[in-house]
Amino acid sequence: MLDVTRKLVELLDLSPIGDDHFQGASEDLGFPNVFGGQVLGQALMAASRTIEDRMPHSMHAYFLRPGNHQLPIDYEVQRVRDGGTFSVRRVIARQDGKEILTGSMSFQVAEEGFDHQFQMPDAPGPEGLKSEQDYGKILAPHVPESRRATLTRDRPIEIRPIDPMNPLAPEAKPPYRQSWFRAQGHLPDDPMLHCCLLAYASDFAFLGTSLNPHGVTFLSKNMQVASLDHAIWFHRPFRMDEWLLYDKDSPSASGGRGFNRGSFYDRDGRLVASTTQEALIRQRT
């Protein structure tokens, strides 16, 4: 496991601070606020610490306030229900006594049943594609010095976009995006860790799908963008240290909000997880 990946795994390894209460550190990725995927992954990990012999099948979260990456995050887990097959947990994330995220997670005992899925869409493989870090190094000389470290930093999740948009010269495109995702280096055989890492990674390059038709990016002038809510459904087992295709579309944008959908497929074409997100995509005048 690479050192940068080990740091992410440690970031998700929360410390108990009381009955069903946990605390996680925050990381600074160069964004103004805490990366939303970090809070999603930590919230799912907190809920899992109160569960035995069940895996998550869905989570639904609302981002209430921007997080401060200079402060730790406290996670309160509420045991809503433990049934014969399903367990539901509510998680509240707080900083400085204020809620920054609230969410519900459902866990299920493994069982067999009907099985079908959409076919994996066509996409070139990850081999030969540049990573976001590669593109960041190309863009770095053309952005203010304060942004260069963010573009070129080492990343625990390698992302290789297909047909990427140049954030410095955006053009209107259809509301579709595809990227290959993979954690850097081999990970432990802990399926819960892989789910939390997918929750973390699923917030990268997602809301931008709803910006495609409008020829703007998060670097465009007068843009205010932020995740408002986020949902994930886990369908089948997977590994985050193996390539996953993240296929995304945006059916609608209105009222200053963009709606995004995503599907994660493994190299064998199995649909392993689905996501949705609504985001604030406000252009100020």
Side-chain angles (χ1 to χ4, degrees):
M1 187 189 307
L2 299 185
D3 185 58
V4 67
T5 308
R6 182 176 295 106
K7 289 179 180 179
L8 175 56
V9 172
E10 292 172 352
L11 186 75
L12 296 174
D13 187 18
L14 308 179
S15 302
I17 56 174
D19 291 341
D20 294 347
H21 282 70
F22 307 88
Q23 187 174 85
S26 297
E27 65 176 349
D28 184 358
L29 296 183
F31 305 144
N33 307 305
V34 171
F35 172 53
Q38 176 204 310
V39 191
L40 292 171
Q42 289 181 330
L44 182 59
M45 182 64 78
S48 75
R49 296 286 172 83
T50 69
I51 297 288
E52 292 184 5
D53 302 322
R54 301 181 181 197
M55 289 296 296
H57 70 89
S58 70
M59 66 179 295
H60 303 259
Y62 283 91
F63 297 100
L64 305 177
R65 292 181 177 86
N68 184 342
H69 44 62
Q70 296 181 341
L71 298 175
I73 304 175
D74 295 336
Y75 295 90
E76 175 190 348
V77 181
Q78 300 173 355
R79 302 185 185 224
V80 178
R81 182 178 184 271
D82 286 304
T85 304
F86 295 92
S87 293
V88 177
R89 297 291 185 264
R90 183 178 297 116
V91 179
I92 301 172
R94 296 184 177 90
Q95 279 189 319
D96 198 24
K98 296 179 179 179
E99 296 183 13
I100 64 170
L101 175 139
T102 182
S104 295
M105 295 82 176
S106 185
F107 299 76
Q108 182 185 10
V109 174
E111 63 177 274
E112 297 295 325
F114 297 120
D115 195 319
H116 78 271
Q117 66 165 74
F118 279 178
Q119 184 175 353
M120 181 179 177
D122 292 334
E127 296 81 8
L129 297 178
K130 289 185 174 65
S131 69
E132 284 197 342
Q133 186 178 21
D134 293 331
Y135 285 113
K137 292 177 180 178
I138 296 173
L139 291 172
H142 307 287
V143 302
E145 187 173 354
S146 59
R147 289 185 177 267
R148 292 176 188 172
T150 301
L151 291 173
T152 59
R153 63 181 173 80
D154 291 333
R155 306 174 187 215
I157 306 297
E158 183 178 2
I159 303 174
R160 296 188 182 183
I162 299 169
D163 190 24
M165 172 122 32
N166 181 351
L168 302 181
E171 298 177 356
K173 292 185 176 184
Y176 302 97
R177 286 192 178 189
Q178 291 180 319
S179 302
W180 288 97
F181 279 59
R182 181 178 65 176
Q184 303 254 36
H186 183 71
L187 294 170
D189 297 329
D190 177 359
M192 188 63 69
L193 173 62
H194 289 259
C195 286
C196 293
L197 285 170
L198 185 142
Y200 171 91
S202 67
D203 197 31
F204 281 120
F206 198 13
L207 71 78
T209 311
S210 60
L211 297 177
N212 267 21
H214 311 288
V216 295
T217 72
F218 67 97
L219 287 179
S220 299
K221 291 183 179 180
N222 302 320
M223 286 301 301
Q224 182 183 9
V225 297
S227 303
L228 298 175
D229 61 12
H230 198 106
I232 305 173
W233 292 265
F234 300 97
H235 306 305
R236 296 171 178 84
F238 62 91
R239 293 189 63 90
M240 275 298 295
D241 50 5
E242 297 176 354
W243 285 115
L244 298 175
L245 176 69
Y246 197 10
D247 183 70
K248 295 153 285 188
D249 63 51
S250 176
S252 175
S254 62
R257 306 180 316 277
F259 177 60
N260 305 282
R261 303 182 300 189
S263 300
F264 280 95
Y265 294 87
D266 66 14
R267 292 299 296 268
D268 293 327
R270 296 164 61 249
L271 177 62
V272 301
S274 299
T275 58
T276 61
Q277 183 185 87
E278 191 171 47
L280 178 69
I281 52 170
R282 178 182 291 150
Q283 188 169 38
R284 292 174 168 169
T285 58

